[in-house]
């Protein structure tokens, strides 16, 4: 006996084989359809509160209005501060505009290379990328978002310096359009590098490191030897040409989004997630790790490790190799020294407490740039346990390179600004700043268990504030003798001795390690 769809073999019913599953291209979800489906599910699970969009738009409008009023109000005092001396040489308003735009272009390109600009969130990379959906449909919102952010940032960075330096309304509009066109060109050009695979190499990063060092150095040369550069406004054909070039690059980028590789999308999603977490938690170290490229794997300076003759010298050699093989850190040192020398060309910052603020800030940043070894040890305490030295001796040895980098920055700024009498005080102050950088590197995780302080503006996370002040407090307190010397203009021997004692105390404070049971 047989029936439809089955037959008997030795008294046992055997079902026929199932039909083979074949994909139907007409039923396959595109990237845009997959995004819309996910958005509908998210909206169903998390319905938006009524009026929330209107409130957000209102907050943005009010915030922009307040910013515009503040910029307009601070314009006149800032122009008076930037006035050069009677020789007509120095830091003019036009040079300030050019430096702000140039540094913004370099920084924006670096961030775009690291975080995208086209990409997906971490969840999208996990769930969407393995599907057959087209990459263009999946990543198109990030293209629109990155383009708007680039153009908006360019408008602000082009228009705000022009408003502060006294350019007329037509000039402000032209400079803002110039900045917006530059922002469009930076984002679209970086996107073209991304889809062609050129962004994944080390070449663009090295070029950006060179530009980071070159821009402040060129600005310093112009501030010292070129006539004062008055406020300027670009002709309208310049932003029009840049905008056209940016539009062409944007079209090329959008047409080749399907060439994005899954590995590149995963790497950028991970970097974006780390950067967003670091920004929300105000973790400067996490942000630098997310945006930085780290040391290169080159074999330059092979003789440095061979100079080690003991535990302490081996530690110094290891930190030196880490610094010398980090192009970003070396470029940052050059940029800090040149930027500090440019800033002290402003009359109000050429002496007194303003000069001390520049010296302490630039020197502390230079010490942080040279503290790659202490940062790595602070993130991974096992590194110091591998060295046959005590905790104090290890941290004291790691203070050497940050102190030297801070001293290099201070020496450059004082030599260019004519602060020779302060050199005797600046040398031990560099040791203080190096110790402050080591204290910052070993500050550990944020103590979130510390009670918050209630204020009219909301709760203040005390643990986060104390965590951020570690290192900075030592830099400020330990350089007070340098501040006295900057205000008085002389550095008597007694003041130098006080600064030396502060350096000894700073090293002892920074090398103190808590005992753990």
């Amino acid at each position: 006996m047989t029936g439809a769809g089955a037959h008997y073999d030795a008294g046992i019913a055997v079902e026929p084989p199932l039909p083979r599953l074949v994909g139907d291209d007409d039923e396959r979800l595109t990237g845009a359809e997959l995004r819309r489906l996910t958005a509908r599910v998210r909206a169903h699970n998390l319905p938006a509160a009524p009026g929330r969009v209107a409130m957000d738009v209102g907050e943005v409008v009010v915030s922009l209005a307040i910013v515009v009023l503040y910029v307009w109000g601070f314009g006149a005092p800032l122009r008076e501060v930037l006035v050069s001396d009677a020789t007509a040489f120095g830091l003019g308003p036009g040079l300030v505009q050019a430096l702000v735009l140039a540094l913004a272009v370099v920084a924006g390109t670096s961030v775009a290379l690291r975080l995208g600009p086209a990409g997906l969130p971490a969840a999208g990379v996990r769930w969407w990328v393995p599907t057959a959906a087209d990459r263009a449909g999946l990543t198109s919102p990030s293209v629109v978002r990155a383009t708007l952010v680039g153009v908006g940032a360019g408008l602000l960075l082009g228009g705000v310096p022009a408003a502060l330096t006294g350019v007329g309304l037509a000039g402000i509009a032209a400079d803002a359009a110039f900045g917006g066109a530059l922002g469009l060109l930076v984002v679209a050009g970086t996107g073209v590098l991304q889809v062609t695979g050129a962004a994944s190499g080390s070449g663009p990063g090295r070029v950006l490191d060179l530009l980071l060092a070159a821009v402040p150095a060129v600005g310093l040369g112009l501030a010292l030897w070129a006539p004062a550069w008055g406020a300027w406004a670009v002709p309208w054909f310049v932003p029009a040409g840049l905008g056209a070039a940016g539009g062409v690059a944007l079209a090329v980028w959008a047409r080749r989004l399907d060439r994005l590789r899954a590995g590149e999308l995963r790497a950028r999603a991970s970097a974006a997630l780390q950067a967003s977490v670091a920004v929300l938690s105000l973790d400067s170290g996490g942000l630098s790790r997310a945006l930085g490229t780290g040391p290169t794997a080159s074999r330059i300076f092979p003789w440095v490790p061979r100079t080690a003759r003991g535990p302490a010298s081996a530690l110094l050699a290891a930190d030196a190799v880490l610094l010398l093989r980090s192009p970003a850190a070396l470029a940052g040192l050059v940029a800090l020294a040149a930027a500090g020398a440019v800033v002290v060309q402003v009359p109000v910052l050429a002496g007194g407490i303003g000069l001390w603020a520049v010296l302490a800030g630039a020197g502390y940043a230079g010490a942080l740039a040279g503290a790659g070894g202490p940062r790595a040890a602070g993130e991974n305490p096992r590194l110091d346990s591998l060295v046959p030295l005590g905790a104090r001796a290890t941290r004291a040895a790691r203070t050497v390179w940050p102190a030297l980098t801070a001293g290099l920055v201070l020496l450059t700024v004082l030599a260019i600004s004519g602060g020779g009498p302060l050199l005797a005080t600046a040398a031990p102050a560099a040791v203080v700043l190096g110790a402050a950088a080591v204290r910052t590197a070993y500050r550990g995780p944020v103590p979130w268990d510390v009670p918050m302080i209630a204020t009219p503006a909301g709760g203040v996370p005390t643990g986060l504030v104390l965590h951020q002040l570690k290192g900075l407090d030592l830099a400020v307190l330990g350089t007070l003798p340098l501040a006295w010397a900057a205000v008085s203009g002389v550095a008597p021997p007694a003041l130098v001795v006080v600064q030396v004692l502060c350096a000894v105390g700073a090293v002892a404070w920074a090398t103190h390690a808590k005992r753990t049971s």
Side-chain angles (χ1 to χ4, degrees), residues 325-345:
R325 294 183 181 180
S326 299
L330 297 177
L333 281 175
V334 176
L336 283 170
V342 169
V343 171
V344 295
Q345 302 304 313

Side-chain angles (χ1 to χ4, degrees), residues 9 30 43 82 100 130 143 186 191 206 250 256 360 367 400 409 421 452 456 516:
D9 185 6
T30 64
L82 292 177
V100 169
V143 173
V186 164
R206 293 180 179 179
L250 181 62
R256 299 186 180 184
V400 173
V409 173
M452 300 180 66
T516 57

Side-chain angles (χ1 to χ4, degrees), residues 13 52 60 88-89 96 125 128 164 167 208 238 241 350 395 424 450 454 460-461 472 496 504:
R52 180 62 182 271
V60 171
F89 283 78
V96 174
V125 170
W128 292 345
L164 291 175
V167 181
L208 289 174
V238 176
R395 296 187 181 189
V450 178
V460 175
L472 185 61
V496 175
V504 174

Side-chain angles (χ1 to χ4, degrees), residues 276-284 446 448 464 468:
S276 60
V277 171
V279 170
L280 290 176
S281 60
L282 300 180
D283 183 8
S284 57
V446 179
W448 294 109
L464 178 61
Q468 295 296 323

Side-chain angles (χ1 to χ4, degrees), residues 75-431:
L78 184 61
R79 287 192 294 273
E80 295 178 0
V81 167
L82 292 177
V83 171
S84 302
D85 55 11
T87 61
F89 283 78
L91 184 62
L95 183 56
V96 174
Q97 290 179 260
L99 285 177
V100 169
L101 275 176
L103 290 175
V105 167
V106 175
T109 306
S110 178
V111 173
L113 278 176
R114 182 60 176 158
L115 301 183
L120 292 171
V125 170
R126 178 177 300 176
W127 294 104
W128 292 345
V129 170
T131 65
D134 58 301
R135 303 283 168 81
L138 292 174
T139 58
S140 55
S142 65
V143 173
V144 177
R145 186 165 52 248
T147 303
L148 292 178
V149 170
V151 173
L155 290 173
L156 289 177
L157 292 171
V160 171
L164 291 175
T165 52
V167 181
L169 292 178
I172 294 175
D175 287 344
F178 178 56
L182 279 177
L184 174 62
L185 187 60
V186 164
V187 173
T190 308
V192 173
L193 293 178
Q194 183 187 17
V195 296
T196 57
S200 58
S202 60
R206 293 180 179 179
V207 172
L208 289 174
D209 291 337
L210 291 176
L211 290 177
L212 177 63
V215 169
V218 172
L220 176 61
L222 293 176
L224 292 178
W225 297 297
W229 192 357
W232 48 267
V234 296
W236 278 102
F237 67 86
V238 176
L242 291 176
V248 173
L250 181 62
V252 174
W253 177 28
R255 289 176 61 88
R256 299 186 180 184
L257 287 175
D258 284 327
R259 298 186 180 184
L260 291 172
R261 294 172 294 180
E264 188 175 4
L265 290 174
R266 290 190 184 96
R268 277 160 172 71
S270 176
L273 181 61
Q274 294 177 18
S276 60
V277 171
V279 170
L280 290 176
S281 60
L282 300 180
D283 183 8
S284 57
L287 185 61
S288 63
R289 288 192 299 272
L291 299 180
T293 56
T296 60
S298 62
R299 296 183 178 274
I300 60 175
F301 302 104
W303 53 270
V304 175
R306 293 195 292 267
T307 60
R309 294 295 181 269
S313 59
L315 195 62
L316 291 175
D319 287 355
V321 169
L322 186 61
L323 175 61
L324 294 174
R325 294 183 181 180
S326 299
L330 297 177
L333 281 175
V334 176
L336 283 170
V342 169
V343 171
V344 295
Q345 302 304 313
V346 179
V348 74
L349 300 177
I353 202 67
L355 177 60
W356 167 76
V358 174
L359 292 175
Y364 180 58
L368 291 177
R375 276 197 304 272
E379 296 166 4
N380 187 4
R382 290 182 178 271
L383 293 178
D384 283 350
S385 64
L386 299 175
V387 182
L389 292 173
R392 276 187 174 274
T394 301
R395 296 187 181 189
R398 291 194 184 275
T399 309
V400 173
W401 289 111
L404 289 177
T405 54
L408 177 64
V409 173
L410 294 181
L411 177 63
T412 303
V413 175
L414 288 176
I416 294 177
S417 64
L422 304 182
L423 289 176
T425 312
V431 179

Side-chain angles (χ1 to χ4, degrees), residues 416-513:
I416 294 177
S417 64
L422 304 182
L423 289 176
T425 312
V431 179
V432 172
L433 297 173
V438 171
R439 175 172 164 80
T440 301
Y442 283 95
R443 60 189 176 184
V446 179
W448 294 109
D449 56 341
V450 178
M452 300 180 66
I453 298 178
T455 66
V460 175
T462 310
L464 178 61
V465 173
L466 295 177
H467 182 267
Q468 295 296 323
L469 290 178
K470 276 190 176 181
L472 185 61
D473 52 357
L474 183 57
V476 173
L477 295 176
T479 56
L480 288 180
L482 178 63
W484 184 278
V487 172
S488 62
V490 294
L495 191 61
V496 175
V497 171
V498 173
Q499 184 63 79
V500 170
L501 294 177
C502 288
V504 174
V507 173
W509 189 4
T511 57
H512 174 70

